Amino acid sequence: MQLTDVEWEFIGPYLPVGEYGPYPERLRQQFEGVIWRFRTGGQWREMPQEFGAW
């Protein structure tokens, strides 16, 4: 599942970016990976490569 730009504009400002991570340039990719994980019930190692390394 990938978020539309409109959905991301709504959600993005509410996600914290700390001193040690997550990295702002990958925040959307990481967030979509978490959504994928909980929607499918799959394991982290089954995550598609488009969401980055597990």
Side-chain angles (χ1 to χ4, degrees):
M1 174 185 172
Q2 294 191 355
L3 299 172
T4 65
D5 290 334
V6 174
E7 292 170 332
W8 180 248
E9 287 177 15
F10 180 76
I11 295 170
Y14 295 103
L15 299 175
V17 177
E19 184 176 340
Y20 301 107
Y23 302 106
E25 64 273 3
R26 292 184 13 215
L27 185 59
R28 182 173 181 170
Q29 179 187 28
Q30 292 169 344
F31 188 75
E32 289 176 347
V34 170
I35 291 173
W36 177 89
R37 162 64 171 92
F38 288 107
R39 283 196 78 185
T40 63
Q43 297 179 0
W44 287 112
R45 63 177 158 255
E46 297 172 343
M47 186 178 301
Q49 288 295 325
E50 67 189 69
F51 299 122
W54 58 277

